[in-house]
Amino acid sequence: MTTVKTLLGLPGLRLRPRAGADLLDRPVTRIYVTELSDPGRYLSAGELVLSGLLWWRAPGDAEPFVAALARSGAAALAASGADSGGIPDDVVDACVRHRIPLLEVPADLSFSVITEQVVLALAAASDSARKRLQAAADAPVETLLERASAELGLPCWVLSGLGRVVAGTSPLPTPGEDVVRRYAAREPGSLTLVPVEGRHAVPWLVAVGGPLSTAQTELAEELAGLVGVTRARSVPSEAELSGEARVVALRTEGSDESRDVLRELLPDGVLLDSTGDTSYAATALRPSATELSTVEPLLQAKRILCGVSDPGPRDEAREAAHYALSVAARRSGRVAVVAAGEVDVHQLLLAGAPDGLRAAVRRRVLGPLLDYDAEQHTDLVHTVRVFLECSGSPTRAAKALHVHVNTLRYRIGRAGELLGADLTEFTDQLDVYLALRVEE
């Protein structure tokens, strides 16, 4: 990294500090020559501003010039007093006030020599920075970020497309979800974002805390490439677990992205198995519909379905997650999340039955009643369902259907005759109720 102090050591420049001696560790990213009285619109952070002070005419002129440097985050001002009888005290005082390092340029030194020397120093530093970063190519993402941050003089992070902070050199100043949203919408922000290359369902981004020079941008792109290699090299663990665990089953319909999505949703989870569009992982976390809705636009999958078990023995939890996933598959929408603990037991059991078997059960148990309703234009099926959901209470069912209790009893009796069942007996009630719910 090239700093203001680095420039003081360049042979032949003979720059002398006049203000800001405690600020010489500031990184320099480029050089900018100007004689404008207010160059603010053209400045960017980290620049060494080179000026012959032709804009200075009288005390007070330095204030707007140096204030513009401070607002832009300029690294330092290198000024020549060759045409002003030395550097005016007004300029020195403004630099002290705005905390801008001031370097005095010898009167006999050409600006072209300074520019050439600084550009060469920046190029050499950039090349060295890339080599030092590449030397850490086999290191974890955290180490790569630390090296890059030291070279850039700025904090660095890696974010997933879900907004999760994969790693960082400091706390992220903005929620990760907002950073990713702004990036997707191409909205300006305080961070410079560089996409990480790689064939992954959920992309990653390198974020750097501030605007970058050309050389810094090249280094950030180098970092993104190394992070991509590190990500591709890392293999998620696939393990047999003992003891209790929560299991998450995830299906990406029409694509093989389930494994990548689980890795992003459950960074601390253990992958149990994966068959392309469906993957299972043991975890302490529980994905939400909001998280899945965030990642869904990034995927090729037609829908994202998720089943979550309660904590329990691994094999049992996996089966529960599988059946919860089956329930989710029967729901509408592009994203469906079902937790096994929130689903009635009979729904979990029915969810695992093949569609053909479900249809056969419904026809075998309810066939005569369905045919009667179709021929007579009645709705005894609905009456039976309400009756059973009222725990077989004629009074409660009659009230729910807004009919007299005797009418209700007649209808239930007629339905029982058609079904060949006693709808006041628990076992017959159970068979009929399951057949009624089998299409859900």
Side-chain angles (χ1 to χ4, degrees):
M1 178 173 63
T2 302
T3 65
V4 178
K5 184 181 294 184
T6 305
L7 303 183
L8 293 176
L10 292 179
L13 293 191
R14 295 174 284 129
L15 301 176
R16 183 167 68 95
R18 291 288 306 276
D22 59 330
L23 304 172
L24 301 182
D25 288 331
R26 288 184 175 178
V28 177
T29 59
R30 69 183 81 182
I31 187 168
Y32 173 66
V33 182
T34 184
E35 298 300 339
L36 296 174
S37 59
D38 185 356
R41 72 179 67 181
Y42 304 110
L43 296 176
S44 59
E47 285 183 323
L48 172 69
V49 178
L50 187 58
S51 177
L53 304 182
L54 300 181
W55 46 266
W56 192 87
R57 293 288 181 271
D61 289 350
E63 176 61 27
F65 183 91
V66 178
L69 269 60
R71 285 193 303 271
S72 70
L77 169 63
S80 172
D83 296 315
S84 57
I87 297 179
D89 292 340
D90 178 40
V91 175
V92 177
D93 293 341
C95 287
V96 171
R97 188 164 54 253
H98 290 285
R99 294 183 59 76
I100 293 294
L102 174 60
L103 311 181
E104 185 172 3
V105 177
D108 62 343
L109 188 61
S110 166
F111 277 11
S112 63
V113 172
I114 298 175
T115 301
E116 180 182 5
Q117 290 284 323
V118 172
V119 169
L120 288 174
L122 291 173
S126 176
D127 186 56
S128 298
R130 284 197 300 272
K131 290 180 179 178
R132 287 192 293 270
L133 188 59
Q134 290 167 355
D138 294 331
V141 171
E142 292 80 2
T143 302
L144 287 172
L145 291 181
E146 291 172 1
R147 296 281 183 90
S149 178
E151 298 293 347
L152 293 168
L154 295 167
C156 300
W157 301 268
V158 172
L159 307 177
S160 81
L162 295 175
R164 176 175 68 89
V165 179
V166 178
T169 57
S170 66
L172 191 68
T174 306
E177 296 85 349
D178 289 350
V179 175
V180 172
R181 179 185 58 78
R182 285 178 175 273
Y183 176 76
R186 301 184 181 277
E187 297 178 6
S190 59
L191 303 176
T192 297
L193 301 174
V194 181
V196 174
E197 295 183 2
R199 297 175 61 84
H200 298 280
V202 181
W204 280 7
L205 297 170
V206 164
V208 183
L212 305 181
S213 66
T214 301
Q216 286 178 313
T217 299
E218 291 175 354
L219 189 61
E221 291 172 348
E222 184 74 31
L223 171 62
L226 293 175
V227 169
V229 172
T230 300
R231 185 186 189 191
R233 190 171 55 235
S234 64
V235 178
S237 59
E238 300 187 24
E240 292 292 325
L241 299 181
S242 59
E244 293 196 347
R246 182 192 307 278
V247 173
V248 174
L250 189 84
R251 179 176 300 154
T252 48
E253 286 190 350
S255 78
D256 59 355
E257 301 164 305
S258 61
R259 181 184 178 121
D260 271 357
V261 175
L262 268 187
R263 289 179 65 186
E264 291 301 320
L265 289 174
L266 311 172
D268 298 326
V270 176
L271 190 70
L272 299 177
D273 60 72
S274 177
T275 57
D277 71 340
T278 305
S279 298
Y280 296 82
T283 177
L285 304 176
R286 178 173 169 174
S288 68
T290 300
E291 290 175 312
L292 290 173
S293 296
T294 300
V295 73
E296 185 269 330
L298 304 173
L299 305 181
Q300 298 177 6
K302 299 175 182 177
R303 292 205 303 162
I304 306 179
L305 309 172
C306 183
V308 185
S309 78
D310 292 328
R314 196 213 61 180
D315 290 341
E316 293 180 11
R318 188 189 184 288
E319 288 300 314
H322 170 74
Y323 285 116
L325 180 65
S326 299
V327 175
R330 298 182 183 281
R331 294 189 176 176
S332 60
R334 293 181 60 84
V335 174
V337 180
V338 172
E342 299 171 359
V343 180
D344 292 337
V345 173
H346 72 271
Q347 287 183 289
L348 285 177
L349 295 175
L350 290 172
D355 289 343
L357 177 60
R358 295 160 67 91
V361 168
R362 180 175 173 83
R363 169 53 56 183
R364 188 184 75 181
V365 176
L366 299 178
L369 194 58
L370 294 170
D371 293 341
Y372 181 85
D373 277 346
E375 294 171 0
Q376 302 297 321
H377 304 291
T378 56
D379 198 0
L380 282 182
V381 169
H382 178 63
T383 299
V384 170
R385 177 163 183 160
V386 173
F387 173 70
L388 296 177
E389 289 178 344
C390 289
S391 302
S393 167
T395 302
R396 288 172 53 195
K399 184 176 182 180
L401 291 167
H402 306 290
V403 298
H404 192 275
V405 67
N406 289 336
T407 302
L408 186 282
R409 287 195 175 96
Y410 169 77
R411 291 180 181 177
I412 293 300
R414 180 64 180 136
E417 291 175 3
L418 292 167
L419 295 173
D422 184 351
L423 293 180
T424 64
E425 290 292 330
F426 173 74
T427 53
D428 286 355
Q429 289 178 340
L430 180 60
D431 287 346
V432 172
Y433 186 68
L434 289 176
L436 288 167
R437 299 294 298 267
V438 78
E439 286 191 343
E440 295 184 359

